[in-house]
Amino acid sequence: MDWSDLRIFLAVARCGSLSGAAHRLGMSQPTMGRRVRTLEELTGHKLFQRGREGFQLTDEGASVLLHAERMEEEALAIERQLAGQGLHLRGLLRVSCSDWFGLHVLAPVVAQYSALHPDVRVDLITDFRFLDLARREADLVFRIRPAVSAEVVQRKLLLMNYALYGPRGVLPPTPGDGAGTRLITLDSALDDLPDVHWLRATFPSAAVAVGSNNRDVQASLCAMGVGFAVLPRLLGDRFPGLERHDLSPPPPNREVWFAYHQDLRGMARLRVFLDMVIASVERATG
């Protein structure tokens, strides 16, 4: 049985459609469909029920899924072990973080790293999702909370300070009130984060003008005069057109952690990149 066929089977089972699986694996739908049919012919069983709701596993398919996932775990472990033994600065390095952190903190490091080590390709993936290190969706991640897996090597990178920002030259609202003030904050899907709670508690009479999950969008709107926003100081202090207002108590700070799978401990291209990030952050916050 061909492992590549099982990879396709897993992708279809997880996505529920040929189109989603094809996008995930970078293949065409006809090829995906043909490989699934080949696998069904090889096993002698129908593995998927095709319908309006997409591809649903049959009982036989669910049984195959358990074995395919165990095979995937072993294949990924082999891949991580081999990647972790890479002593040369060449190959692919996948790095994941939030959008603003990627632009304002990591992008300068990536530029310097790329110039020094041209044989390494860096994929900088800016996403709020926590990509799976075990599946090598990313090799190195930067997160606002630590991972829970025992297979992950992690460390606190920095304690990130936040502050209230407004358009340059505009007086800040009065804490405890905020009547007539417009705020820019995170969108409703992220309204349980600490800085959102701080804004509501500090300016209970203020109105939310715009919500966005993109910190650079918030900063841009703030500089345009749309309202006041809480931003990470690593972003807000450098953003043109913004003025910082130091209130007491300040918005709550957050920890930033880096993490990678323990199997990649010896990956030279990861270690060199991480050392450069740590040095850059220490210079910026020192």
Side-chain angles (χ1 to χ4, degrees):
M1 187 173 294
D2 193 336
W3 163 239
S4 62
D5 287 339
L6 287 174
R7 284 183 67 242
I8 290 171
F9 166 80
L10 285 169
V12 175
R14 289 164 177 163
C15 296
S17 68
L18 288 180
S19 59
H23 178 73
R24 173 177 291 189
L25 297 183
M27 301 175 65
S28 68
Q29 281 188 238
T31 298
M32 301 285 287
R34 184 171 63 253
R35 299 282 288 276
V36 169
R37 289 193 297 272
T38 298
L39 184 60
E40 289 180 325
E41 292 169 2
L42 181 63
T43 60
H45 293 283
K46 191 174 183 179
L47 304 178
F48 291 102
Q49 185 70 43
R50 284 80 162 171
R52 290 183 177 180
E53 297 182 357
F55 279 56
Q56 304 293 322
L57 286 170
T58 61
D59 289 344
E60 294 80 5
S63 177
V64 171
L65 178 65
L66 296 176
H67 296 285
E69 286 180 332
R70 285 199 291 268
M71 291 178 66
E72 180 188 42
E73 290 175 3
E74 292 300 321
L76 289 169
I78 293 172
E79 181 182 337
R80 291 193 306 269
Q81 287 284 349
L82 292 175
Q85 295 170 13
L87 301 178
H88 302 288
L89 290 175
R90 67 170 66 99
L92 173 64
L93 179 64
R94 304 178 186 89
V95 182
S96 175
C97 62
S98 63
D99 47 19
W100 79 267
F101 196 86
L103 178 60
H104 296 278
V105 178
L106 295 188
V109 179
V110 171
Q112 181 186 11
Y113 181 88
S114 183
L116 292 172
H117 309 292
D119 291 333
V120 179
R121 167 181 165 173
V122 179
D123 279 2
L124 184 55
I125 307 160
T126 57
D127 200 322
F128 267 104
R129 294 178 302 132
F130 288 167
L131 300 186
D132 194 328
L133 292 170
R135 297 184 185 280
R136 289 205 72 196
E137 293 179 344
D139 299 319
L140 175 64
V141 297
F142 295 87
R143 297 170 167 169
I144 58 175
R145 57 179 178 265
V148 295
S149 172
E151 297 180 334
V152 166
V153 177
Q154 60 185 335
R155 179 184 136 191
K156 186 171 71 174
L157 178 66
L158 72 129
L159 187 64
M160 186 165 55
N161 295 315
Y162 287 73
L164 180 73
Y165 291 86
R168 192 173 299 281
V170 178
L171 292 176
T174 302
D177 182 11
T181 299
R182 289 160 61 84
L183 303 176
I184 301 164
T185 186
L186 292 163
D187 65 275
S188 56
L190 300 169
D191 63 3
D192 199 39
L193 290 183
D195 54 294
V196 180
H197 285 292
W198 182 89
L199 267 177
R200 289 175 176 166
T202 305
F203 308 111
S205 300
V208 174
V210 180
S212 173
N213 67 343
N214 187 300
R215 294 290 192 182
D216 276 272
V217 170
Q218 294 179 30
S220 295
L221 291 169
C222 185
M224 294 175 189
V226 175
F228 289 81
V230 169
L231 300 169
R233 287 188 53 180
L234 282 174
L235 165 61
D237 287 356
R238 305 174 183 180
F239 205 93
L242 294 185
E243 183 174 351
R244 190 178 83 226
H245 302 287
D246 295 321
L247 303 183
S248 183
N253 50 35
R254 303 293 299 274
E255 295 176 339
V256 176
W257 295 72
F258 66 77
Y260 55 90
H261 197 279
Q262 62 184 6
D263 290 347
L264 302 185
R265 194 189 300 267
M267 181 189 277
R269 58 186 181 272
L270 185 153
R271 292 301 317 168
V272 172
F273 180 81
L274 186 53
D275 287 344
M276 291 176 65
V277 172
I278 292 171
S280 177
V281 168
E282 288 177 348
R283 288 192 300 270
T285 59

